[in-house]
Amino acid sequence: MHAALLDEAHRAIENKLPERGHDYRLGYHLSPPAGWMNDPNGLVFFRGEYHMFYQHHPYSAQWGPMHWGHAKSRDLVHWEHLPIALAPSEPYDRDGCFSGSAVVADDTLYLIYTGHQWLGETRNDDQIRQVQCLASSADGITFTKHGVVLQTPGDPSIMHWRDPKVWMRDGQWWMALGARQGDDPQLLLYRSADLHHWEYLSCALQGRREQDGYMWECPDIFELDGCDVFLYSPQGLKPTGYDNWNLYQNSYRTGRLDDSGHFNPSGELHELDHGHDFYAAQTLLAPDGRRLLWAWMDMWESPMPSQAQHWCGALSLPRELSRDGDRLRMQPARELVALRQSQTLLQVDEVASASHVLDVQGALLEFELELDLEGSSAERFGLALRCSEDGQERTLLYFDATARRLVLDRQYSGAGVSGVRSVPIAPGQTRIALRVFLDRSSIEVFVDEGAYTLSSRIYPRPDSLLASAFAVNGTGCFGAMSVWRLADLQI
Ligand code: FRU
């Protein structure tokens, strides 16, 4: 039954490929061959390769009964698509194989995921059943389902209860789940010796709707530089000031997870990325000890113009995490320098109340540059990217001296999307170091060695390829700028 459903899903993808449009296809980010993608799932290193699974609907570019798409890579740069790993096939996961994680035990690859059922009408979130399920694979390609390993809690006020993250701690398997008890969010922990039998351990953290949202999706807990990090995607946070402007957020807190399973936060709640499109991030411990992170580089209920071209959804670039007090830094994985092709060095120096077209064009580019705040008098200055010849389209990244913020403005970025996001620049700061990755329908900005990042989807026309440096009301001072053309791997 499962095998037949996987074959059918595979055929659906094959049939769509000839119709798929290329205007927004990403060159070096992982996206589904056709159909819909959301959360990254089951990041794992297995027999010398990184495996990436993802929430996938192969039958259309809309969210629907969730499958697990699958790809693998040796170097975090080149990805190979593999057959779909999981399809809803059993009574317990009949309406979706929702998000989860992967571990390796005895040289076998295990997937732990949420089986989803609509009990009332499809998409009525008030009548659902969610259970935690196990599947395994000896070859890392074909998976056998082992059924439900954790039944829904007896507490009738818990119905939303999903996204298992499993890891090994002191010789035992631990599982973190996000739950919604009534209207309050919870982080629940379970423990197992063999992945098949689980017992409840603790409510590691209890939230309150007013300040914490109503549900914590996609939890992840890991140790980083001597501290524990609880990473999650809260639903229902209200925007305040410049923060939390996306419909849903991706946030984290640092603290200490004790042996009895209680998470004692020591740091504030922080947003993980400050762009428009970053959700459901998950991490992986690489063999060399680096903590790597990927997120779904989209947002629920956001316009997704590529749907009209029979695909949508993408994962962010892999990022290396490090800790700075109670804040995380995210830097592009070092392997990504392998994407760099030809390099152009630009000496822009000063731009006075004008726009200076750069001697570099393209949809797949990496910029490395500094904005010199000390030498500048401009009210705002920075880069205009993916600009059209007719001046209709542009994506702006600039320092706003009055607000002392670095701003990403996609109000004129092309089809569908709009909006502005920004991050603070400290009062005494004299320069901003930037690394910017452009792909056909995305921009990822790494600020000051990853102290902040802004990741957003943009949908410019394929021929909007110009870039310029600009300054408004005064002089903007640019340091040396390196620009690389990036490889078009068409993954
Ligand atoms: C997060 C999420 C998860 C769920 C999955 C369903 O984006 O809502 O909580 O498992 O997506 O596709």
Side-chain angles (χ1 to χ4, degrees):
M1 166 83 158
H2 190 216
L5 289 166
L6 291 173
D7 281 349
E8 197 180 323
H10 180 69
R11 278 197 302 279
I13 294 283
E14 290 289 305
N15 292 340
K16 266 296 168 239
L17 286 181
E19 289 172 51
R20 188 183 71 180
H22 286 269
D23 292 355
Y24 308 124
R25 276 309 282 177
L26 294 157
Y28 56 90
H29 287 83
L30 194 64
S31 57
W36 164 281
M37 166 196 270
N38 57 290
D39 315 354
N41 293 156
L43 282 44
V44 71
F45 190 78
F46 179 59
R47 296 192 197 147
E49 295 174 309
Y50 294 94
H51 285 254
M52 169 66 75
F53 301 84
Y54 54 89
Q55 290 285 279
H56 184 33
H57 186 233
Y59 293 100
S60 75
Q62 315 291 328
W63 189 82
M66 282 290 107
H67 295 54
W68 276 39
H70 188 189
K72 67 174 184 174
S73 170
R74 280 193 183 279
D75 60 5
L76 298 175
V77 176
H78 300 87
W79 291 89
E80 179 191 341
H81 286 282
L82 294 172
I84 294 172
L86 298 176
S89 64
E90 309 301 320
Y92 57 79
D93 65 8
R94 65 167 193 228
D95 297 319
C97 301
F98 275 18
S99 286
S101 53
V103 293
V104 177
D106 299 327
D107 202 32
T108 299
L109 181 53
Y110 287 91
L111 307 182
I112 306 95
Y113 67 97
T114 298
H116 179 77
Q117 293 169 57
W118 303 115
L119 298 181
E121 289 187 4
T122 300
R123 296 244 181 170
N124 176 356
D125 257 355
D126 296 332
Q127 286 176 285
I128 61 170
R129 178 177 297 128
Q130 301 194 315
V131 291
Q132 314 313 325
C133 313
L134 183 71
S136 72
S137 170
D139 63 2
I141 294 180
T142 311
F143 290 85
T144 305
K145 291 186 180 177
H146 300 292
V148 178
V149 290
L150 201 49
Q151 289 289 354
T152 316
D155 180 347
S157 66
I158 297 183
M159 200 189 311
H160 289 263
W161 175 71
R162 58 178 171 271
D163 307 339
K165 170 75 186 198
V166 174
W167 76 102
M168 174 65 80
R169 176 170 164 139
D170 297 333
Q172 292 233 298
W173 296 109
W174 287 46
M175 178 197 290
L177 285 172
R180 171 175 182 174
Q181 186 190 42
D183 253 350
D184 293 329
Q186 292 182 321
L187 171 65
L188 300 179
L189 296 185
Y190 297 79
R191 228 170 20 187
S192 168
D194 59 6
L195 296 170
H196 290 266
H197 305 90
W198 291 87
E199 56 175 30
Y200 175 75
L201 177 62
S202 59
C203 174
L205 195 63
Q206 171 74 53
R208 295 273 163 260
R209 159 106 213 206
E210 268 314 295
Q211 74 261 21
D212 304 306
Y214 55 83
M215 170 72 189
W216 294 337
E217 295 192 311
C218 302
D220 193 352
I221 301 187
F222 52 89
E223 209 229 295
L224 190 72
D225 306 337
C227 186
D228 293 317
V229 180
F230 169 36
L231 170 73
Y232 58 110
S233 295
Q235 295 180 299
L237 292 187
K238 295 188 188 72
T240 44
Y242 288 106
D243 299 327
N244 297 328
W245 276 101
N246 293 331
L247 179 59
Y248 302 125
Q249 315 305 324
N250 212 158
S251 310
Y252 64 89
R253 301 188 77 162
T254 53
R256 174 66 58 205
L257 178 64
D258 66 27
D259 289 337
S260 63
H262 290 100
F263 184 78
N264 306 298
S266 53
E268 307 260 295
L269 177 74
H270 293 290
E271 253 178 282
L272 181 60
D273 181 282
H274 291 76
H276 299 83
D277 295 292
F278 207 81
Y279 196 67
Q282 285 290 295
T283 70
L284 158 80
L285 189 62
D288 61 6
R290 282 177 301 162
R291 182 59 64 173
L292 301 175
L293 177 145
W294 283 259
W296 178 37
M297 195 167 52
D298 286 286
M299 184 53 63
W300 291 111
E301 289 161 55
S302 240
M304 297 179 182
S306 73
Q307 284 174 317
Q309 307 198 354
H310 304 296
W311 71 280
C312 83
L315 299 187
S316 69
L317 288 175
R319 294 157 184 215
E320 291 181 22
L321 292 187
S322 58
R323 192 168 65 81
D324 190 359
D326 76 337
R327 302 218 33 222
L328 297 183
R329 275 178 190 270
M330 295 197 285
Q331 305 247 49
R334 62 197 67 172
E335 286 85 345
L336 296 172
V337 293
L339 289 169
R340 292 175 174 175
Q341 316 267 287
S342 56
Q343 181 182 12
T344 310
L345 287 171
L346 298 171
Q347 201 60 50
V348 179
D349 297 330
E350 294 192 348
V351 177
S353 299
S355 182
H356 170 89
V357 178
L358 300 177
D359 194 12
V360 62
Q361 294 194 8
L364 280 63
L365 298 175
E366 179 189 343
F367 288 75
E368 193 167 49
L369 72 150
E370 281 190 2
L371 301 181
D372 173 1
L373 310 187
E374 236 176 358
S376 301
S377 62
E379 194 178 303
R380 48 172 83 164
F381 76 107
L383 297 177
L385 301 164
R386 296 302 306 271
C387 306
S388 59
E389 305 258 357
D390 63 7
Q392 297 280 303
E393 291 187 350
R394 59 201 171 274
T395 296
L396 303 180
L397 177 65
Y398 62 85
F399 173 62
D400 178 331
T402 316
R404 279 204 78 81
R405 296 189 73 87
L406 182 83
V407 180
L408 174 64
D409 177 344
R410 64 167 189 182
Q411 295 185 88
Y412 303 97
S413 290
V417 298
S418 66
V420 173
R421 295 287 182 273
S422 65
V423 297
I425 301 299
Q429 198 171 325
T430 55
R431 51 183 271 282
I432 304 173
L434 296 173
R435 268 180 87 182
V436 183
F437 288 81
L438 287 179
D439 203 338
R440 278 192 196 83
S441 56
S442 68
I443 176 165
E444 285 162 281
V445 183
F446 296 83
V447 186
D448 293 330
E449 270 79 55
Y452 289 101
T453 60
L454 301 108
S455 307
S456 296
R457 300 303 296 277
I458 52 173
Y459 297 91
R461 300 194 305 255
D463 60 354
S464 295
L465 298 172
L466 301 178
S468 58
F470 73 92
V472 176
N473 291 350
T475 301
C477 209
F478 296 79
M481 204 185 291
S482 274
V483 187
W484 289 267
R485 198 164 286 287
L486 298 182
D488 192 358
L489 305 173
Q490 305 193 5
I491 45 177

